Structure formats: C-alpha cells, structure tokens
C-alpha cells in the first residue's frame, strides 16, 4: 500500500525519522475519520505503540512501513468509530466535531503553548470544514472509512479493503453510498471574502444586540446547534428559524456580560470565537447559502476547546 503523504518512506529497514515522518499523514487521516483531534492523537499513539512492540526483525520484514502504519491506524479508527457511536448516543445534547484553529496558528507553534510537534498539524482543506465533518457523522463507520480513504486520500479500493476488512467491491459500494450523502443538493459555495464579510456583519449585529439585522443575516430556515457536552450550559436541541436564533443569541449575550467576540478561522473557514476573561468559551462555525447563514455550530464543551485555550 502506498502512502500519499510520504511515499518516499516506503522502504525496508526504516530509520526512526522515516517511520515518524508518517505521523502527520496519520494525524490528518485519523482526525477526518474520528472528528476529534484528541481521539486522533490517541489512535496514532496506539498505532506507533504497536509498531514498536514488534521486534527489529519483524519491522525489517515489513516492505512498506507507511502502508503498515496506515492500515493499523485505519483499523484502530474503524474500531473507535463503532464504540463512538454508542458513546454519542449517551452524550448530553448534540455531539459536534472538535473545531480546529487556523493553520497559521499551528505553524507558528503557538498551539499547545509552543509544544506542538509540526507532525501533529492537520491540513485544513475542504475535507475538514464543519459542514463536511457533520455529514460524515451520519455515515456508518465502514462508509466513513471507505469514503475518506478513497475519495479524500485517493487509496485504491484494493488497499481500502485491507483496512475495512471487506472486498474491494463492497468498499466501492460503501464509498458510493457515502458519496450520495455528501452530494445532497447544495447551493454554490460562497467566496471566502464573502464568508468573512457575512460573519463579520453577524458579529457586529450580535455585539450591538441588533435583532433585526441578525434576522436579516440568517436564512429563514437556519439552524443553530450547540455542544456543551453536559459540562457547560448549552441548548440541548437545535434552535430553528432565524427569529428564534436571533432571540436566543440576544438572550445569551444579556446573560454573559464582558463577552469578547473575535473573528477567527475555524476548520479552514471564517468563524467566531467567544472569550470571557481571556478564556475561549465558545467556537462557532458557519455554513452559508445565497448570502445568508444557514447553519451555526457552536462548540462550548471545554474538552473540545483545549487547542483554542492553548493559544493564549
């Protein structure tokens, strides 16, 4: 099996740097499969633990270390996805994927208080925007793994089959089923500049408690979903409709004096960060259609905001 991110590492008798050079690709894969950076890091750590549990002779017998690591990581993620579905059924409120800071923050070394390994950086592209990750959550574990490996990372179905434990034909069917979910009718993408401007207008209207402007910026059928995980206050069910969302936001603003709103990139797209006394308490991602906001995902679970608070 080839490894798209680091094909030059596929050789026998790998040195430490060659094997560890696969780490970034594994983190990128695991985050897209799991929707959680913390779980992705655990999966990759377990993958390396299994590699180093082998003898030197066993390692040298593996023709493609990168392929071996990817196969093991994929299988670990597949198992985790199965158990995650059970855990998320018991989750308090709605589970939203863990939001990631702007890529420049990762490159600056500021994430994790300057302790972030460059190998742990997640490449922020269209396959990690919040709308995409939320759709992935609707897939079965096998659909998600087959789709991500084939359509995002370009693995052939013969190699996907080794990871999923099914035939190439079955994996092709899984990816096709997942593709139909992704291909649900969507309006044309809003340019980045337009997205940033709309999010900025939303922020200013919220700060001014201008309910009329908020309603105008929101699609009439907009939905806002919050994730507090039972650890902090959050709406347990999605808030639907532009007027109800605007009223809810104004109500929340009145209950949280001293809240600071910052424009930040969230999973590669313009978003907002709310801070109180310098601590990030909410990260909001947006989906836009036809010049209006159609979806808002507000992550408030502090366990999912650790990367954001490490930026302080």
């Amino acid at each position: 099996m080839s490894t798209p991110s680091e094909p030059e590492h596929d050789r026998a008798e790998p040195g430490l740097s060659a094997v560890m050079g696969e780490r970034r690709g594994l983190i990128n894969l695991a985050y897209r499969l799991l929707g959680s950076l913390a779980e992705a890091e655990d999966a990759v750590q377990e993958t390396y633990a299994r590699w180093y549990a082998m003898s030197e002779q066993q390692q040298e017998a593996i023709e493609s270390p990168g392929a071996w690591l990817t196969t093991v990581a994929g299988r670990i993620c597949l198992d985790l996805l199965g158990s995650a579905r059970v855990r998320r059924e018991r989750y308090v409120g709605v589970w939203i994927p863990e939001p990631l800071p702007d890529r420049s923050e990762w490159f600056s070394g500021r994430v994790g208080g300057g302790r972030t390994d460059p190998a742990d950086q997640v490449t922020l592209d269209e396959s990690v925007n919040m709308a995409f990750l939320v759709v992935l959550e609707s897939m079965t574990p096998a659909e998600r793994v087959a789709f991500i490996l084939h359509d995002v990372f370009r693995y052939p179905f013969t190699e996907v089959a080794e990871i999923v434990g099914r035939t190439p034909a079955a994996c092709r069917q899984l990816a096709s089923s997942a593709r139909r979910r992704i291909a649900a009718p969507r309006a044309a993408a809003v340019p980045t500049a337009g997205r940033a401007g709309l999010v900025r207008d939303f922020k200013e209207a919220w700060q001014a408690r201008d309910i009329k402007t908020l309603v105008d910026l929101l699609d009439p059928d907009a939905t806002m979903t919050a994730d507090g995980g039972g650890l902090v206050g959050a709406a347990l069910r999605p808030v639907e409709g532009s007027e109800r969302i605007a009223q809810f936001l104004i109500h929340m603003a009145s209950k949280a004096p001293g809240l600071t709103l910052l424009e930040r990139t969230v999973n590669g797209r313009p978003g907002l960060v709310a801070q109180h006394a310098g601590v990030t308490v909410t990260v909001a991602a947006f989906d836009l259609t036809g010049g209006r906001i159609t979806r808002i995902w507000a992550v408030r679970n502090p366990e999912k905001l650790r990367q954001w608070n490490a930026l302080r």
Side-chain angles (χ1 to χ4, degrees), residues 82-95 227-231 236:
S83 61
R85 289 174 73 89
V86 176
R87 291 198 310 274
R88 289 167 193 174
E89 288 176 358
R90 301 193 299 263
Y91 194 78
V92 178
V94 181
W95 191 93
D227 177 352
L231 301 177
L236 296 180

Side-chain angles (χ1 to χ4, degrees), residues 44-123:
V44 172
Q45 182 176 349
E46 174 62 21
T47 299
Y48 277 103
R50 295 185 188 184
W51 170 266
Y52 287 109
M54 294 189 296
S55 67
E56 184 176 347
Q57 291 74 20
Q58 289 174 316
Q59 292 174 358
E60 291 176 350
I62 295 174
E63 181 179 353
S64 174
W68 187 95
L69 291 166
T70 301
T71 298
V72 172
R75 289 173 179 169
I76 290 173
C77 288
L78 186 60
D79 290 341
L80 286 173
L81 281 171
S83 61
R85 289 174 73 89
V86 176
R87 291 198 310 274
R88 289 167 193 174
E89 288 176 358
R90 301 193 299 263
Y91 194 78
V92 178
V94 181
W95 191 93
I96 298 176
E98 180 181 342
L100 293 181
D102 180 71
R103 190 178 177 187
S104 64
E105 300 287 0
W106 293 78
F107 287 134
S108 70
R110 290 171 59 197
V111 172
R115 296 187 296 275
T116 296
D117 187 332
D120 290 340
Q121 295 159 1
V122 175
T123 303

Side-chain angles (χ1 to χ4, degrees), residues 112-160:
R115 296 187 296 275
T116 296
D117 187 332
D120 290 340
Q121 295 159 1
V122 175
T123 303
L124 300 180
D125 57 25
E126 284 302 300
S127 67
V128 294
N129 75 67
M130 192 61 73
F132 187 86
L133 292 176
V134 168
V135 174
L136 292 180
E137 286 296 313
S138 68
M139 300 178 184
T140 67
E143 282 177 338
R144 185 166 182 166
V145 173
F147 174 76
I148 290 295
L149 283 170
H150 180 267
D151 284 44
V152 177
F153 286 87
R154 302 303 179 187
Y155 283 89
F157 284 116
T158 53
E159 298 179 2
V160 175

